[in-house]
Amino acid sequence: MTALLTLFALVGFGLLAYYYAPKDGEPPWYPERFRSFPRNDPGPSSYDLHRQLADLAALRAREASSAETRRGGTERSTDREVA
């Protein structure tokens, strides 16, 4: 029984090595993955994109409230223009 389990383990390892081995003519590893090429650059994360959208929404809301203030709404002493 131990010999059979050992044989299955060796065959499984051999199949994994065959599956993940580089194909003919293909380099064994790609040095480009360590360089910053545009196609390899993952870009900003989803969190960063959501944070940027939230910041833009906050700027638009502040701009709308400052436009309301200029038209005669409630006055606030901290009202400043957003650059």
Side-chain angles (χ1 to χ4, degrees), residues 23-43:
K23 309 299 183 247
D24 287 338
E26 184 178 292
W29 59 283
Y30 296 98
E32 292 88 21
R33 67 182 171 162
F34 300 112
R35 297 187 190 135
S36 180
F37 289 127
R39 67 177 179 160
N40 291 341
D41 188 19

Side-chain angles (χ1 to χ4, degrees), residues 9-60:
L10 288 175
V11 168
F13 180 75
L15 288 174
L16 286 174
Y18 177 77
Y19 180 75
Y20 287 108
K23 309 299 183 247
D24 287 338
E26 184 178 292
W29 59 283
Y30 296 98
E32 292 88 21
R33 67 182 171 162
F34 300 112
R35 297 187 190 135
S36 180
F37 289 127
R39 67 177 179 160
N40 291 341
D41 188 19
S45 67
S46 176
Y47 172 76
D48 290 335
L49 292 176
H50 287 291
R51 201 175 94 204
Q52 287 175 357
L53 291 174
D55 289 348
L56 288 174
L59 286 173
R60 287 188 191 113

Side-chain angles (χ1 to χ4, degrees), residues 53-75:
L53 291 174
D55 289 348
L56 288 174
L59 286 173
R60 287 188 191 113
R62 184 177 175 113
E63 187 175 296
S65 70
S66 67
E68 223 176 81
T69 303
R70 280 190 226 119
R71 283 185 291 176
T74 58
E75 286 290 326

